[in-house]
Amino acid sequence: MDLQIVLELILFILPAYVANAMPVILGGGPKLDSGKSLGDGRRILGDGKTLYGLIGGLMCGILTAAALAATIPDLFATTAAGFGTKLLTGGLLAAGALCGDLAGSFFKRRTGMERGQPSLLLDQLTFLFFALAFAAPYFPTQAGIPGLVFLAVLTFVLHILFNVIAHRLKLKSVPW
Ligand code: CTP
Ligand code: MG
């Protein structure tokens, strides 16, 4: 993969990263599952999934796409022409990231894991795969399978790194 494609991929995925990270800071307000449990006696999503986290993540993801689109004319050059399409791409990435995060928590609760308990791969990658699926029509196709593998590895490493930093900054009680 040449550097051009690597850069394009990093810019492409940025709205998803922002959407996934911001709830740690902005989270709060009503619990998305209203504190309810399913028949298995476990919470639907758990206390870690809040309304402000969801809305804040979505807004910040879209704002990131808007800022990128306004400052980097070549952003998503191969996939999205107009500003509106770029915004839509960012919105899809952000929405996908947040849905993936909720899906990950739902799955963790169903398998008996408490809120905040670490689940390797699920914690780091569900949000990425959902984001990529939501924004699939706008994925820089020339990046291909190697591009997907690159994003998976990059996301895995960065997710762990940023969670350790968030823990050190006392934004999170656990370093994952
Ligand atoms: N958060 C939030 N709303 C969301 C997602 C995250 O408020 N929709 C906040 C919560 O404070 C959460 C923190 O961001 O604790 C970290 O998110 P995450 O690691 O996804 O949640 P966990 O607390 O680890 O819970 P889970 O086991 O369900 O992943
Ligand atoms: Mg977690």
Side-chain angles (χ1 to χ4, degrees), residues 68-104:
L68 288 174
T71 52
I72 306 171
D74 279 352
L75 179 74
F76 311 149
T78 50
T79 49
F83 188 79
T85 314
K86 292 174 183 184
L87 223 53
L88 173 69
T89 307
L92 288 169
L93 285 164
L98 290 155
C99 285
D101 183 52
L102 296 184

Side-chain angles (χ1 to χ4, degrees), residues 56-127:
L58 190 62
M59 301 303 266
C60 290
I62 295 173
L63 280 176
T64 302
L68 288 174
T71 52
I72 306 171
D74 279 352
L75 179 74
F76 311 149
T78 50
T79 49
F83 188 79
T85 314
K86 292 174 183 184
L87 223 53
L88 173 69
T89 307
L92 288 169
L93 285 164
L98 290 155
C99 285
D101 183 52
L102 296 184
S105 291
F106 181 83
F107 185 76
K108 281 168 78 175
R109 297 304 89 81
R110 302 288 73 73
T111 53
M113 282 186 224
E114 299 296 334
R115 174 245 176 124
Q117 223 176 300
S119 172
L120 201 69
L121 297 180
L122 210 62
D123 280 342
Q124 296 86 9
L125 295 180
T126 33
F127 88 90

Side-chain angles (χ1 to χ4, degrees), residues 8 24 30 34-35 39-40 47 75 77 84 86-88 113 121 123 126-127 129 137 139 148 151 160 165 173:
E8 184 153 349
V24 178
S34 310
D40 58 9
D47 285 338
L75 179 74
K86 292 174 183 184
L87 223 53
L88 173 69
M113 282 186 224
L121 297 180
D123 280 342
T126 33
F127 88 90
F129 291 145
F139 185 73
L148 291 176
L151 281 182
I160 290 176
I165 293 172
S173 55

Side-chain angles (χ1 to χ4, degrees), residues 158-170:
L158 287 182
H159 194 275
I160 290 176
L161 187 72
F162 276 100
N163 278 285
V164 169
I165 293 172
H167 176 62
R168 292 275 168 90
L169 294 175
K170 303 204 188 312

